[in-house]
Amino acid sequence: MSLVVYLAGAVLLLSAAVLFHRPQSATPNPLTASTCVTITLGATVFVCSAPVTLAAVNDLTGIPNFGAPLTYGMLSAYSCSVLILLAYWRGGPPARVRRQVLRSIALYAPLIVTLIVLFTLADAPTERLTDLDTYYANTPYMREMIVLYLLGHTAAIVAMAVVCLKWAREVTGLLRTGLLLMIVGALLDLLGFQLTKYTAVVARWTGHDLDFLSTNVAPPMAALAALLFSVGYVLPRLLPAAVAHGRGLRDHRRLRPLWTRVGFVSVAPKPPVSWWRLPEERLHWREVAIHDALLALAPYFDDRVRSRVLAAALGEGRTAHEARVAAEAAMLAEAARRAAALEEPCATPSTHRLHATEVSGTAGLVELSQALARTPVPGPVGEGTVKPSMAAESPPS
């Protein structure tokens, strides 16, 4: 059982770490912070509830079952953080959000204190690592502590489910998917964790034994519910960023043939090292540097090369656009060769504008790069027309 809850906690902490990772210059975001706090508290609850952790805490403090109020207090703090997260996520006037946050804290802070007081008043000398809820279900003060932590958690999950259900009717896309996952997680928590706990405790009150519901059914259901909560939290925020990162890495890689041919003449200043952390920033720098190189090579563009390749491509049955890109790639390759060989620019440079410079974004450059990759290298590429004192070193790929 300890391995299962530790694994669930590790997954939650990993998702929080990924979500909280951001450039050092980024402005702190209350929504991101509250999301990470909620996920971290959820992971802490799992770690605290593991029998190995409970035994270690009890031994360290010398108090039997001290791990119980610790775990229940963490669970109540997690319940409070869920409500705070929803307040920030839903948004609205700052004053209203602030009131909702303070109201949640005002409700759950006394609850946590009460749990500790009840445990202090109770007589629970026998250490129970897996069945404390049912073993002490009829013990004064312990009984009230168990019911109170369950009620506090139920209130938070029900409130979360209601808000998510109403909100899901108003939105679409990834946000709606995340909300639906949270609703499913809430149902699992309510039915798989809380209802089984309530049933097992009430069974003890009535003289029956349904302890297996509390010890065997509730923990894995709670773990699955928490994982669904976390996925619902982070999916609308991480997936678009992950897709953007993937697209940036792909385009950065596909621009390599073009950058290899023309990068030696670029004098675009290098960005700070920290910029190289994000694919979009690397791609943006490469795009700027390539445009700078194309501008430097413009005096070497030869219309005769372009016209010859254009006619040949059209004769091979290529479309007008494909033929144009192939012809521009050939003209660019020849210009890079002449610049690298320190030849003189063309007497009458071409005034033709490359397709890649007419369109926004990297699509045109990627298309030119792929065409250039199929164009034979006219000759060795070395130091070009830019003077060594002005030339920038070729950046890492």
Side-chain angles (χ1 to χ4, degrees), residues 260-337:
T260 301
R261 294 286 187 96
V262 306
F264 70 100
V265 298
S266 175
V267 293
K270 282 186 176 182
V273 176
S274 60
W275 277 40
W276 295 92
R277 295 179 179 178
L278 296 178
E280 297 95 325
E281 293 171 346
R282 296 178 62 190
L283 175 63
H284 176 70
W285 186 88
R286 176 162 287 187
E287 181 184 359
V288 171
I290 287 176
H291 277 293
D292 179 75
L294 294 179
L295 184 63
L297 290 173
Y300 292 89
F301 287 169
D302 191 339
D303 272 332
R304 293 172 298 177
V305 175
R306 182 178 59 83
S307 299
R308 184 172 62 252
V309 176
L310 178 64
L314 291 173
E316 294 172 358
R318 298 193 192 183
T319 65
H321 179 70
E322 292 173 344
R324 176 186 177 181
V325 174
E328 292 174 349
M331 180 177 68
L332 180 60
E334 175 63 16
R337 184 199 66 79

Side-chain angles (χ1 to χ4, degrees), residues 38-115:
T38 299
I39 296 176
T40 302
L41 284 174
T44 304
V45 171
F46 282 117
V47 172
C48 290
S49 64
V52 172
T53 305
L54 292 174
V57 170
N58 295 340
D59 291 341
L60 183 64
T61 60
I63 302 175
N65 301 308
F66 184 83
L70 175 64
T71 302
Y72 298 159
M74 285 295 179
L75 182 60
S76 299
Y78 169 74
S79 301
C80 179
S81 70
V82 167
L83 298 179
I84 294 175
L85 171 60
L86 285 176
Y88 280 120
W89 201 7
R90 189 69 188 267
R96 187 183 68 184
V97 173
R98 191 180 306 109
R99 284 196 303 270
Q100 292 174 345
V101 170
L102 294 177
R103 188 182 302 121
S104 300
I105 296 174
L107 288 174
Y108 280 89
L111 173 63
I112 295 173
V113 174
T114 303
L115 294 177

Side-chain angles (χ1 to χ4, degrees), residues 7-22 31-44 46 78 85 223 226-235 237-239:
L7 180 60
V11 172
L12 294 180
L13 286 175
L14 178 62
S15 63
V18 171
L19 182 62
F20 193 69
H21 175 72
R22 56 183 175 83
L31 176 57
T32 300
S34 61
T35 303
C36 292
V37 168
T38 299
I39 296 176
T40 302
L41 284 174
T44 304
F46 282 117
Y78 169 74
L85 171 60
L227 290 176
L228 286 174
F229 286 155
S230 298
V231 173
Y233 294 150
V234 303
L235 181 66
R237 308 193 64 202
L238 284 187
L239 188 58

Side-chain angles (χ1 to χ4, degrees), residues 69 110-122 141-142 145:
L111 173 63
I112 295 173
V113 174
T114 303
L115 294 177
I116 298 173
V117 172
L118 289 172
F119 177 78
T120 303
L121 296 175
Y141 300 114
M142 288 293 288
M145 181 187 72

